[in-house]
């Protein structure tokens, strides 16, 4: 497996105990505005999986980094402990959800501790405890008082397998499947409690623009989910076709309508009323009231609605009825279809079809043989008349200028929308949303009881605050809802009239629990309020939130909503809960998502016992940027482990005086100094942005340089000690146990957890230019040796560019002249190099677009001198780094800025 390992288990246990004894991660209640770093709390399902480990390593590394930078850091953890899987697991194992859940929490907490996550466990919260869910109930009654909760008879998504109602968000869109069990979802009518998230739809969507610390993808998903559209509602008269009053000619079927075939004005919604002259059909959703009536009388409609309609399909489908709709502006009679792409829960369930200017309508019209008419032309060039576009193949969907639109011809789309909305009888501006109110009722046991008593006289009465929490009764293993079966619990007296009454037996969606849990951490034990208001005002919002992209619309939208209601009604001074959000990528195996069902799961525990938590953490953080998916790789794990082992060996050898040292700081010490600076600058910038792989790479390369230095010659003790101290600190956020151990080995005081983050003044661009120069030069030497077949180079001369070429490069970069050579020749210092200057000028002219500023010749010389030892060591040859003036003319002539000339003697 590995030869040169270390006793990681002993190291990790030792420091976990030491941190624990010292309460190293405790944040006192009187901390002022700490940096709040939070990972989405897990559902206690049994074991930590790789996704958890990645998520929590990200927050832990960032929390540790901020702490070393001097911040007070709030980094808590808790348990999203209610939910259906616990109930199912309890049934399978003949236990109860509570015991099962707490067993899982025990296990997972132990695993978190073994990963070295630095949480303030004093702030742990568990949502299935009455101490927590009491406040869900309080929140619900507050919503009721503010008119933000109501009971409604509603058609709900019903999973027949889970026997529960699902929120829209829990129905997976492609095929309308249950998010838990993949069963096709049905609909049912039930009395449900709703929270009025739609009241906040505008603020929720408007403020997304301000959430600059959120990924664009999540912001766009929320915008789409809320789905705000500004448009016009307008009325179409729908009735039997006047021109076909004796039957449907095409299909030749007899008509069986009575007198009820006139439907009057039917409301439609459009965002493009400017295209109304191009409306060539009218379409109804399959569950529009008119469609439902037609289903009874028209076999073709019946067949379509029950057997053919496929709202999720790629193609729009529909069936023609024998009705017509009158275009309110032209008076034209449009054929009416029942079509599956019209959704009743979006808009009015009826729309005008404009195939010339809408892609979906176009596809439908082609399929159904409906006319396609252009009525919007692209904005013409200066003075020209607008010209109707050819829409026979494809719709023109942009705004433009109206044509074929009677008196409205020549108007721009935006103005036409205004005018038409004003002119059309019964039309009005309207904003519609895709967002629906949040149905929170669940017919399940393992959740927060909804604190309502149903009284035959008083109706639905909220349980008074002083009687909260309404605690769950003991679990009853039944196929239905256990709360319904808990007779003794269920029967109670009405809080208002004292008469016999029954409790609400539905529980809340667990997303209620997670919609405010981040507030509970500020005062987890408070028993007279959900959170300490002053402290929440000081500590909130969460500065850095990390979790999976799957929460983009549910949890992250509900949390924003609830935060806003608390701001409006409870004095919270923050309207958004999370300033910065990182959605971490997946840990995959051979390109596939790890999942139990596929059997391709790598257990974090196995890695921890074989290589240690530090290795697992380091591998994860160096494998990819946190947002990206990456493949688990045993080789990657081993290489992380090897690095840590070597690092440990180096520090120990230094501390034990086993490394030959000198007091003299030669050029190599200078090189190491530059590398220290580089590592600090890069790591600091990248930790700030949570780009851990780049942050860690610099520190690892510094350790590599030190090992080479030690192997090459006697080291300058002071420089090496400083470098080790820096490397330990830079790696401590990612590999905290080993770095704690090495910090002690090096003889430093206190925990590295509390050590001061190193600083450096250098700027990153210069550092990177210097590193690239050295790396490219080494690569050039390798190529020459290779191409020329040099077995044993004796001496390598590296000649830095003459100053005039550097000057010429800068002149070329600054020049606006079409040909740069003339401009170069105005500089005497360049001109006097005659033919060389002309020929270099020619090169610059040809590569002008790609020219970049380089280090000046003196800085280049110093950088290469300090790195010469690396080349000497690699090729076992004498290396001379020369200024152009000190080198033989023929070699010097080949040197260019950032591309020194190289001459190798065998
Ligand atoms: Zn289900
Ligand atoms: Zn009553």
């Amino acid at each position: 497996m590995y030869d040169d390992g270390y006793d990681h288990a002993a190291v990790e246990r030792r420091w976990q105990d030491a941190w624990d004894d010292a309460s190293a991660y405790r944040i006192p209640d009187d901390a002022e505005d700490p940096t709040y770093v939070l990972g989405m709390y897990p559902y206690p399902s049994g074991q930590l999986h790789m996704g958890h480990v990645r998520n929590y390593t990200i927050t832990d590394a960032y929390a540790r980094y901020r702490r070393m930078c001097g911040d007070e850091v709030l980094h808590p953890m808790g348990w999203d402990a209610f939910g259906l899987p616990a109930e199912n697991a309890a049934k399978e194992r003949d236990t109860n959800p509570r015991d099962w859940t707490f067993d899982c929490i025990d296990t997972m907490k132990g695993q978190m501790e073994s990963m070295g996550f630095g949480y303030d466990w004093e702030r742990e919260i568990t949502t299935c405890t009455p101490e927590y869910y009491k406040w869900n109930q309080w929140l619900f009654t507050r919503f009721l008082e503010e008119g933000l909760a109501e009971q409604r008879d509603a058609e709900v998504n019903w999973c027949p397998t889970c026997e529960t109602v699902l929120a829209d968000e829990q129905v997976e869109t492609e095929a309308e499947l249950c998010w838990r069990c993949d069963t096709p979802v049905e609909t049912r009518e039930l009395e449900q409690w709703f929270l009025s998230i739609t009241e906040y739809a505008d603020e929720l969507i408007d403020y997304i623009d301000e959430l600059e610390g959120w990924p664009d993808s999540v912001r766009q998903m929320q915008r789409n989910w809320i789905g705000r559209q500004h448009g016009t509602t307008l009325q179409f008269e729908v009735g039997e076709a006047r021109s076909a009053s004796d039957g449907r000619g095409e299909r030749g079927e007899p008509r069986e309508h009575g007198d009820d075939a006139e439907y009057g004005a039917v409301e439609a919604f459009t965002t493009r009323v400017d295209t109304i002259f191009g409306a060539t059909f009218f379409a109804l959703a399959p569950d529009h009231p008119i469609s439902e009536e037609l289903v009874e009388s028209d076999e073709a409609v019946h067949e379509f609605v029950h057997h053919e309609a496929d709202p999720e399909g790629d193609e729009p489908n529909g069936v023609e009825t024998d009705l017509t709709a009158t275009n309110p502006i032209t008076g034209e009679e449009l054929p009416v279809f029942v079509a599956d792409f019209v959704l009743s829960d979006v808009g009015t369930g009826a729309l005008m079809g404009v195939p010339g200017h809408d892609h979906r309508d176009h596809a439908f019209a082609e399929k159904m043989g409906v006319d396609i008419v252009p009525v919007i032309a692209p904005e013409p060039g200066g003075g020209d008349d607008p010209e109707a576009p050819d829409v026979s193949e494809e719709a023109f969907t942009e705004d433009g200028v109206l044509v074929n639109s009677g008196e409205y011809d020549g108007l721009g789309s935006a103005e036409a929308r205004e005018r038409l909305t004003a002119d059309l009888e019964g039309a009005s501006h309207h904003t519609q949303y895709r967002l629906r109110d949040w149905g929170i009722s669940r017919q399940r046991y393992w959740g927060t009881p909804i604190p309502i008593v149903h009284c035959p006289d008083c109706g639905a009465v909220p349980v008074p605050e002083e009687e909260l929490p309404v605690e769950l009764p003991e679990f009853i293993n039944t196929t239905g809802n256990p709360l319904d079966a808990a007779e003794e619990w269920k029967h109670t007296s009405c809080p208002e009239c004292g008469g016999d009454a029954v409790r609400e037996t539905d529980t809340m969606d667990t997303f209620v629990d997670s919609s405010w849990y981040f507030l509970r951490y500020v005062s987890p034990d408070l028993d007279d309020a959900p959170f300490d208001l002053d402290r929440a005002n000081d500590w909130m919002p969460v500065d850095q939130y990390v979790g999976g992209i799957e929460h983009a619309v549910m949890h992250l939208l509900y949390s924003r909503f609830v935060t806003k209601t608390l701001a409006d009604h409870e004095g919270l001074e923050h309207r958004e809960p999370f300033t910065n959000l990182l959605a971490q990528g997946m840990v995959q195996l051979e390109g596939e998502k790890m999942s139990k069902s596929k059997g391709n799961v790598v257990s974090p525990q196995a890695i921890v016992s074989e290589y240690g938590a530090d290795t697992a953490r380091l591998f994860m953080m160096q494998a990819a940027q946190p947002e990206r998916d990456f493949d688990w790789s045993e080789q990657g794990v081993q290489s992380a482990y090897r690095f840590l082992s070597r690092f440990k060996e180096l520090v120990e050898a230094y501390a034990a005086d086993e490394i030959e040292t000198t007091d003299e700081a030669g050029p190599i010490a200078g090189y190491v100094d530059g590398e220290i600076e580089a590592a600090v600058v890069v790591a600091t910038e990248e930790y700030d942005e949570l780009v851990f792989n780049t942050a860690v790479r610099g520190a690892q390369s510094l350790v590599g340089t030190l090992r080479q230095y030690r192997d090459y010659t006697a080291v300058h003790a002071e420089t090496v000690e400083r470098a080790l101290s820096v490397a330990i600190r830079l790696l401590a956020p990612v590999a905290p146990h080993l770095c704690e151990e090495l910090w002690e080995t090096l003889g430093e005081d206190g925990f590295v957890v509390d050590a001061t983050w190193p600083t450096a003044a250098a700027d990153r661009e210069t550092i990177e230019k210097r590193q690239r120069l050295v790396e490219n030069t080494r690569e050039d030497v390798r190529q020459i040796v290779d191409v020329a077949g040099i077995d044993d180079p004796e001496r390598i001369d590296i000649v830095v560019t003459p100053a005039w070429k550097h000057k010429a490069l800068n002149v070329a970069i600054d020049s606006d002249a079409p040909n740069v050579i003339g401009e170069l020749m105005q500089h005497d210092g360049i001109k006097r190099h005659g033919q060389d200057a002309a020929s270099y000028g020619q090169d610059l002219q040809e590569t002008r677009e790609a020219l970049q500023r380089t280090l000046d010749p003196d800085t280049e010389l110093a950088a290469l001198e300090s790195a010469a030892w690396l080349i000497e060591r690699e090729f076992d040859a004498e290396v001379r780094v020369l200024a152009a003036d000190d080198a033989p003319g023929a070699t010097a002539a080949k040197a260019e800025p950032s591309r020194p000339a190289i001459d190798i003697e065998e």
Side-chain angles (χ1 to χ4, degrees):
M1 182 183 60
Y2 48 85
D3 310 323
D4 50 351
Y6 67 101
D7 189 351
H8 49 81
V11 168
E12 293 179 358
R13 174 102 315 254
R14 177 172 177 223
W15 292 103
Q16 285 158 16
D17 290 345
W19 293 328
D20 209 20
D21 290 345
S23 299
Y25 306 105
R26 180 95 184 90
I27 175 113
D29 284 344
D30 60 4
E32 267 181 47
D33 193 16
T35 298
Y36 191 170
V37 181
L38 187 63
M40 291 181 187
Y41 65 172
Y43 179 76
S45 54
Q47 303 276 333
L48 283 192
H49 56 64
M50 281 300 173
H52 292 130
V53 172
R54 191 177 191 195
N55 186 341
Y56 304 142
T57 303
I58 292 167
T59 59
D60 191 54
Y62 186 66
R64 288 170 183 278
Y65 164 67
R66 297 302 327 172
R67 188 178 283 117
M68 291 174 76
C69 288
D71 297 8
E72 289 200 87
V73 172
L74 170 61
H75 185 219
M77 183 42 72
W79 309 97
D80 189 10
F82 272 138
L84 193 51
E87 204 168 328
N88 293 340
K91 279 188 176 180
E92 274 170 35
R93 294 167 177 75
D94 204 22
T95 173
N96 65 75
R98 188 172 197 284
D99 289 351
W100 188 82
T101 299
F102 278 98
D103 276 355
C104 290
I105 289 176
D106 249 18
T107 307
M108 290 169 75
K109 188 169 175 183
Q111 292 174 329
M112 285 183 177
E113 284 167 336
S114 78
M115 289 303 304
F117 298 141
Y119 297 127
D120 181 355
W121 283 112
E122 304 275 317
R123 296 186 182 277
E124 178 179 5
I125 58 172
T126 306
T127 58
C128 66
T129 60
E131 295 75 33
Y132 185 89
Y133 68 67
K134 170 183 179 176
W135 300 109
N136 289 338
Q137 295 174 340
W138 173 88
L139 194 66
F140 177 83
T141 56
R142 291 292 299 120
F143 270 97
L144 266 181
E145 282 164 31
E146 301 297 346
L148 289 168
E150 63 173 346
Q151 196 176 26
R152 261 185 246 154
D153 216 15
E155 196 158 87
V156 294
N157 306 300
W158 175 263
C159 173
T161 303
C162 303
E163 296 184 315
T164 193
V165 171
L166 302 172
D168 287 347
E169 296 89 332
Q170 293 165 334
V171 178
E172 297 188 332
T173 48
E174 284 299 319
E176 305 255 301
L177 300 180
C178 168
W179 70 312
R180 281 289 186 209
C181 72
D182 288 348
T183 303
V185 170
E186 301 170 356
T187 54
R188 279 200 181 182
E189 286 274 322
L190 279 179
E191 285 262 281
Q192 298 281 292
W193 287 98
F194 287 87
L195 301 184
S196 308
I197 190 172
T198 52
E199 301 256 317
Y200 284 82
D202 281 319
E203 190 187 341
L204 287 167
I205 200 168
D206 288 340
Y207 206 83
I208 290 173
D209 296 341
E210 314 287 320
L211 296 177
E212 286 169 7
W214 284 37
D216 287 340
S217 57
V218 174
R219 294 158 80 187
Q220 197 51 44
M221 284 160 90
Q222 291 212 347
R223 283 190 197 100
N224 293 345
W225 189 261
I226 296 166
R228 181 170 63 189
Q229 289 186 312
H230 299 293
T232 304
T233 50
L234 63 169
Q235 314 291 330
F236 285 73
E237 287 292 327
V238 174
E240 274 183 35
R242 265 176 269 148
S243 53
S245 57
D246 59 353
R248 185 173 2 212
E250 239 171 277
R251 287 201 239 130
E253 291 160 17
R255 310 169 53 88
E256 290 175 22
H257 290 308
D259 299 330
D260 58 348
E262 294 298 324
Y263 295 94
V266 173
E267 189 169 77
F269 174 82
T270 176
T271 58
R272 291 297 303 274
V273 71
D274 55 313
T275 63
I276 191 167
F277 284 87
T280 53
F281 68 94
F282 193 77
L284 299 166
D287 55 350
H288 190 281
I290 296 178
S291 308
E292 286 182 342
E293 221 171 287
L294 292 177
V295 163
E296 303 299 318
S297 59
D298 186 323
E299 234 169 82
V301 175
H302 184 280
E303 173 69 15
F304 174 74
V305 170
H306 289 290
H307 302 290
E308 290 164 17
D310 175 17
E312 307 298 328
D314 294 334
E315 279 189 16
N317 300 300
V319 61
E320 188 169 0
T321 68
D322 58 0
L323 303 177
T324 60
T326 310
N327 186 328
I329 195 85
T330 62
E332 226 177 320
E333 296 208 6
L334 310 177
V336 175
F337 293 82
V338 175
D340 59 6
F341 63 88
V342 190
L343 302 178
S344 65
D345 64 343
V346 179
T348 60
L351 56 79
M352 64 176 196
V354 186
H357 302 285
D358 179 276
H359 291 306
R360 196 193 41 202
D361 293 354
H362 196 278
F364 186 76
E366 280 196 312
K367 194 167 173 172
M368 296 296 175
V370 175
D371 291 346
I372 301 172
V373 181
V375 293
I376 304 290
E379 201 80 50
D384 291 345
D385 282 336
E387 198 177 313
D390 178 2
V391 291
S392 57
E393 295 297 319
E394 200 185 10
F396 171 71
T397 60
E398 314 270 304
D399 273 6
V401 177
L402 273 64
V403 293
N404 302 331
S405 297
E407 60 179 294
Y408 298 90
D409 275 357
L411 287 182
S413 287
E415 197 190 342
R417 287 194 282 270
E418 289 301 318
R419 286 262 305 267
L420 281 157
T421 305
D423 294 353
L424 279 167
E425 199 178 326
S428 59
H429 286 293
H430 180 71
T431 302
Q432 76 169 29
Y433 303 85
R434 184 171 172 264
L435 185 68
R436 290 290 168 265
D437 277 339
W438 177 14
I440 59 159
S441 297
R442 297 291 179 276
Q443 291 66 45
R444 275 289 165 178
Y445 170 78
W446 197 228
T448 303
I450 294 178
I452 288 287
V453 170
H454 295 282
C455 169
D457 296 326
C458 314
V461 181
V463 176
E465 186 177 339
E466 58 277 11
E467 286 174 32
L468 299 180
V470 176
E471 289 199 39
L472 280 169
E474 287 301 312
F475 180 62
I476 299 171
N477 196 340
T478 152
T479 49
N481 179 357
L483 291 187
D484 215 29
E487 290 295 331
E488 201 181 323
W489 176 87
K490 195 167 83 170
H491 290 283
T492 183
S493 54
C494 169
E496 256 169 41
C497 71
D500 285 348
V502 288
R503 293 190 185 281
E504 168 77 56
T505 57
D506 283 353
T507 52
M508 293 183 199
D509 182 3
T510 58
F511 281 105
V512 175
D513 314 4
S514 55
S515 67
W516 67 280
Y517 80 110
F518 40 87
L519 284 156
R520 186 68 182 167
Y521 286 128
V522 310
S523 49
D525 303 319
L526 198 64
D527 59 12
D528 60 0
F531 52 88
D532 182 292
L533 183 61
D534 288 341
R535 205 178 303 150
N537 284 339
D538 188 41
W539 288 15
M540 283 291 288
V542 174
D543 294 282
Q544 181 65 57
Y545 197 32
V546 180
I549 189 84
E550 68 273 18
H551 293 296
V553 282
M554 289 189 264
H555 164 57
L556 289 170
L557 197 60
Y558 297 150
S559 299
R560 296 183 60 216
F561 161 54
V562 170
T563 300
K564 289 174 192 307
T565 64
L566 293 170
D568 284 341
H569 303 293
E570 299 300 326
L572 186 65
E573 290 169 3
H574 304 282
R575 300 194 72 80
E576 288 286 342
F578 313 121
T579 305
N580 294 291
L581 173 71
L582 186 152
Q584 94 264 5
M586 278 190 299
V587 185
Q588 301 174 319
L589 198 63
E590 289 162 356
E592 283 205 71
K593 182 182 179 173
M594 288 188 192
S595 80
K596 270 191 202 156
S597 58
K598 284 192 206 133
N600 64 341
V601 175
V602 180
S603 143
Q605 282 320 107
I607 307 300
V608 170
S609 60
E610 191 166 359
Y611 299 102
D614 284 339
T615 294
R617 295 169 57 121
L618 175 61
F619 164 67
M620 284 223 176
M621 293 301 97
Q622 73 181 179
Q625 290 191 21
E627 300 86 353
R628 310 288 285 266
D629 297 342
F630 75 91
D631 253 23
W632 184 264
S633 126
E634 185 70 18
Q635 275 170 324
V637 174
Q638 286 171 1
S639 118
Y641 187 70
R642 223 165 12 245
F643 169 78
L644 292 176
S645 304
R646 287 175 182 166
F647 186 26
K648 182 167 187 286
E649 183 277 326
L650 180 68
V651 177
E652 284 173 347
Y654 177 79
D657 281 331
E658 289 164 12
I659 294 178
E660 198 189 331
T661 58
T662 163
D663 291 337
E664 212 157 307
I668 305 182
Y671 178 82
V672 173
D673 268 334
E675 291 293 281
I676 295 173
E677 217 169 46
V680 170
V681 168
V682 171
T684 306
E685 275 186 30
E686 301 294 348
Y687 272 119
D688 269 335
E689 301 295 323
L690 297 102
V691 185
F692 301 104
N693 56 338
T694 314
V696 161
R697 200 181 305 135
Q700 288 183 296
S701 131
L702 175 61
V703 173
T705 300
L706 293 174
R707 285 166 41 84
Q708 292 172 352
Y709 187 13
R710 183 255 313 259
D711 294 345
Y712 184 68
T713 183
V715 303
H716 182 237
E718 205 187 298
T719 304
V720 166
E721 181 153 341
R722 189 166 62 247
L724 291 174
S725 161
V726 163
I728 292 167
R729 280 176 286 165
L730 298 185
L731 289 161
V734 170
H737 309 88
L738 182 66
C739 289
E740 204 67 86
E741 180 93 0
L742 298 183
W743 191 244
E744 184 190 63
T745 305
L746 202 61
E748 302 279 7
D749 290 332
F751 286 127
V752 76
V753 163
D754 301 320
T756 305
W757 192 254
T759 54
D763 90 288
R764 181 150 179 187
E765 211 185 318
T766 308
I767 286 170
E768 287 179 343
K769 278 182 184 162
R770 202 172 64 201
Q771 288 180 328
R772 258 200 312 275
L773 172 73
V774 169
E775 202 31 67
N776 291 344
T777 306
R778 290 176 72 178
E779 188 54 38
D780 284 350
V781 173
R782 280 178 210 131
Q783 282 206 4
I784 294 169
V785 166
D786 194 38
V787 170
I790 302 170
D791 288 333
D792 184 17
E794 192 73 11
R795 197 181 70 214
I796 302 170
D797 281 351
I798 296 169
V799 181
V800 169
T801 186
W804 71 263
K805 280 193 182 168
H806 183 257
K807 168 87 178 165
L809 172 67
N810 285 338
V811 169
I813 288 171
D814 293 336
S815 164
D816 298 326
N819 192 311
V820 75
I821 297 174
E823 196 146 335
L824 292 179
M825 292 310 161
Q826 290 168 20
H827 296 265
D828 287 342
I830 297 171
K831 191 180 173 188
R832 71 187 166 84
H833 293 278
Q835 190 49 46
D836 285 350
S839 135
Y840 184 54
Q842 193 60 43
D843 292 349
L844 291 175
Q845 177 67 26
E846 278 163 19
T847 56
R848 255 180 112 172
E849 299 300 312
L851 296 178
Q852 285 180 345
R853 288 190 204 281
T854 63
L855 300 172
D856 65 68
D858 289 345
T859 312
E860 251 191 48
L861 185 73
L864 290 166
E865 276 174 340
S866 76
W869 67 283
L870 288 170
I871 300 169
E872 283 185 11
R873 182 181 160 276
E874 184 174 344
F875 297 96
D876 193 22
E878 185 196 347
V879 174
R880 300 191 306 184
V881 179
L882 304 169
D885 290 346
D886 303 332
T891 311
K894 284 183 266 171
E896 288 179 11
S898 82
R899 200 78 201 236
I902 294 164
D903 186 51
I904 302 181
E905 244 175 67
E906 271 189 89

